[in-house]
């Protein structure tokens, strides 16, 4: 409990934490008002698009924000020698690790909720949810929440094991962007494209072998990323709204990443030489 109190004391005094909460809420409002402008113009838009955007969008922003916070928050303890001092004081490595993990997860959850609550408070009264039921809206909302848990566990492990703010920042920012670009390009290829024969548009399906398409879909389904998860769902069903039970499969995948990274990271942290 002393470790928890110390970490949460630092959290609630962290300017970065509050800045990321405000930033994500502002992004939600900008996206919602842009969607509302499209809605007023006769285009298809609803508050559900804001909820889905908060899960990851095309930028993987959720993962980047959590990686940024974890790298700075945990990396500061290494740079100041606090982690080493806690170990020498007999606090126990596992307790130190789990305290950091809980604190990063709590911060990531607050950052995520800032987006969703701001977007829902404005978007729902203005546009509604496009006829989608509460189960679908809640499904996407909790999908993002489980992704927060997975991201927090992964990036906490990364910082605790590399002991480097710089490495964690580079990986945390570049990895979601690379995954997003791969998702956009590869998924676009798998879904086929449209060519023009004269003035007539002709749909050209993907010519990859069936086994290659299945392998890529399986890999994307496993990636704990907002854009990868939200897009790879189309591989499983044409419309997630028609099969809301699929959400639970993605919740389970996020839980697997949490268990693997949290348990594995904690065990490896017991053996590394803390600088």
């Amino acid at each position: 409990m002393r470790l928890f109190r110390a970490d949460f004391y630092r959290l609630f005094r962290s300017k970065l934490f509050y800045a990321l909460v405000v930033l994500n809420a502002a992004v939600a409002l900008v996206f919602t008002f842009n969607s509302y402008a499209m809605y007023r113009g006769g285009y298809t838009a609803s508050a559900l698009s804001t909820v889905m955007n908060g899960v990851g969008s095309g930028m993987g922003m959720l993962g980047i924000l959590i990686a940024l916070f974890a790298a700075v928050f945990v990396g500061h303890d290494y740079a100041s020698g606090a982690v080493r001092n806690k170990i020498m004081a007999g606090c126990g490595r596992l307790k130190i690790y789990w305290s950091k993990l809980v604190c990063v997860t709590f911060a990531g959850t607050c950052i995520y909720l800032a987006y969703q609550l701001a977007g829902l408070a404005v978007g729902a009264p203005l546009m509604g949810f496009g006829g989608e039921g509460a189960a679908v809206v809640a499904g996407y909302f909790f999908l993002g929440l489980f992704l927060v848990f997975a991201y927090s566990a992964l990036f906490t492990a990364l910082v605790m094991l590399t002991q480097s703010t710089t490495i964690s920042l580079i990986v945390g920012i570049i990895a979601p962007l690379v995954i997003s670009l791969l998702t956009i390009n590869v998924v676009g290829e798998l879904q086929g494209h449209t060519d023009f024969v004269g003035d007539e548009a002709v749909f050209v399906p993907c010519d990859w072998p069936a086994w290659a398409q299945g392998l890529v879909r399986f890999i994307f389904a496993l990636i704990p990323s907002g854009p990868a998860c939200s897009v790879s769902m189309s591989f499983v069903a044409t419309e997630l709204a028609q099969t809301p039970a699929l959400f639970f499969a993605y919740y389970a995948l996020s839980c697997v990443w949490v268990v693997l990274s949290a348990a594995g990271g904690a065990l490896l942290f017991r053996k590394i030489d803390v600088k």
Side-chain angles (χ1 to χ4, degrees):
M1 292 305 299
R2 287 195 295 270
L3 288 171
F4 277 139
R5 284 197 295 269
D7 281 334
F8 275 93
Y9 177 78
R10 280 191 54 227
L11 170 66
F12 291 125
R13 290 175 60 87
S14 170
K15 295 179 180 178
L16 176 63
F17 168 64
Y18 294 110
L20 294 179
V21 168
V22 173
L23 172 64
N24 219 22
V27 170
L29 295 177
V30 170
F31 184 88
T32 301
F33 284 121
N34 284 339
S35 297
Y36 182 61
M38 296 176 61
Y39 177 80
R40 291 284 301 272
Y43 295 94
T44 301
S46 71
L48 179 61
S49 60
T50 301
V51 174
M52 294 173 64
N53 188 71
V55 173
S57 183
M59 295 174 56
M61 187 172 179
L62 180 60
I64 293 174
L65 294 182
I66 295 176
L68 174 61
F69 176 79
V72 175
F73 183 79
V74 179
H76 176 272
D77 265 16
Y78 274 113
S80 64
V83 173
R84 184 178 181 86
N85 291 340
K86 290 175 183 177
I87 293 174
M88 294 176 64
C91 293
R93 292 197 176 208
L94 288 180
K95 294 178 181 179
I96 295 171
Y97 187 97
W98 287 107
S99 178
K100 291 287 185 290
L101 175 58
V102 170
C103 200
V104 171
T105 302
F106 176 84
T109 301
C110 291
I111 293 169
Y112 173 72
L113 291 178
Y115 181 101
Q116 295 292 21
L117 296 180
L120 287 171
V122 176
L126 290 177
M127 298 177 287
F129 295 103
E132 295 293 351
V136 174
V137 178
Y140 277 109
F141 179 89
F142 285 105
L143 173 63
L145 196 59
F146 276 90
L147 286 172
V148 169
F149 300 155
Y151 280 134
S152 300
L154 284 168
F155 289 123
T156 299
L158 178 65
V159 188
M160 293 295 286
L161 297 179
T162 62
Q163 307 179 49
S164 170
T165 301
T166 304
I167 294 175
S168 302
L169 280 174
I170 292 173
V171 174
I173 293 173
I174 292 179
L177 291 176
V178 170
I179 291 172
S180 299
L181 292 174
L182 285 175
T183 301
I184 293 170
N185 288 283
V186 176
V187 170
E189 180 67 26
L190 290 177
Q191 291 177 337
H193 61 279
T194 301
D195 280 343
F196 285 89
V197 179
D199 294 332
E200 183 179 358
V202 178
F203 176 74
V204 180
C206 178
D207 58 358
W208 292 13
W211 65 267
Q213 294 187 43
L215 178 62
V216 171
R217 292 168 181 169
F218 177 74
I219 292 174
F220 275 126
L222 292 179
I223 297 174
S225 167
C229 264
S230 60
V231 176
S232 63
M233 289 172 184
S234 62
F235 299 151
V236 185
T238 54
E239 289 291 341
L240 194 66
Q242 298 175 359
T243 53
L246 285 174
F247 280 118
F248 293 98
Y250 286 90
Y251 300 161
L253 286 174
S254 291
C255 289
V256 169
W257 280 105
V258 170
V259 172
L260 290 177
S261 54
L267 292 175
L268 290 174
F269 180 64
R270 296 178 64 181
K271 301 180 181 299
I272 66 171
D273 180 23
V274 177
K275 299 176 183 179

